[in-house]
Amino acid sequence: MPISPQLAPFAWSLLLAAGVVVFSIVPLGAARSQANFQMPDLAAPRAMFDRLPAWGKRAAWAHQNCFEAFTLHAPAALLCLLAGVTSPIAIAAAWIHPALRLAYISAYVGNVPPLRGLCWAGGLTCTGVLYVEGLRALIG
C-alpha cells in the first residue's frame, strides 16, 4: 500500500531518525579506534569505556541517548502515519527532529553543552508535537 504524499514526511522522519542512530556509531567507532580497540575487546566492548578519550566518552553517551530518543520518536511518527495527520506543524516537526538529533551528536562529541541541550530539547519537543497531533487526529 503506497503512502500518500501528505504522510510521507512521517515515514521519512522514522527512517532518518533510525539512520541517525546508525550514524552515531561513527564517532564511537573512531573513539574506540583511537583507544586501541583490539579483538579481545569484542568480548566486552563497554569495558573499554575508561580507555576512551574524553570526546569518545561523550560519543558513547550520545550513542546511548540516540537509542533513547528513537524509542520515543518512532511511536510518535507511526501514530501520525496511522492517524493520517496532515498538520503543517507536525510535518515540520517530523523533518526537524532528525536534523536536531544529528546536530545533537555533533554538539555532544564536540563538547558544546548549550547547543547540545537546545538540540535535545528541540528534538524532544518535535516528538511531543507528533504525539499531540497524532492524538488530535485520532480523537477529532
Side-chain angles (χ1 to χ4, degrees):
M1 177 166 113
I3 295 176
S4 76
Q6 292 175 321
L7 298 179
F10 305 111
W12 276 110
S13 184
L14 185 60
L15 290 172
L16 291 171
V20 169
V21 174
V22 173
F23 172 78
S24 71
I25 296 169
V26 172
L28 179 57
R32 286 180 176 169
S33 176
Q34 188 175 358
N36 198 24
F37 186 84
Q38 297 174 2
M39 292 309 267
D41 290 321
L42 288 174
R46 289 187 176 110
M48 72 175 296
F49 182 80
D50 290 335
R51 295 192 339 242
L52 295 176
W55 67 268
K57 290 176 182 174
R58 292 190 302 274
W61 294 324
H63 177 63
Q64 291 168 357
N65 185 264
C66 283
F67 282 102
E68 295 165 3
F70 185 74
T71 62
L72 289 174
H73 184 72
L78 289 171
L79 175 62
C80 288
L81 270 171
L82 295 173
V85 173
T86 58
S87 160
I89 191 167
I91 291 170
W95 285 115
I96 293 168
H97 179 271
L100 285 172
R101 292 301 306 173
L102 199 57
Y104 171 87
I105 295 168
S106 299
Y108 208 151
V109 174
N111 199 24
V112 187
L115 179 59
R116 182 186 89 207
L118 286 172
C119 291
W120 177 86
L124 190 60
T125 300
C126 288
T127 296
V129 165
L130 295 186
Y131 277 112
V132 168
E133 293 299 318
L135 290 173
R136 278 189 186 162
L138 283 179
I139 294 169

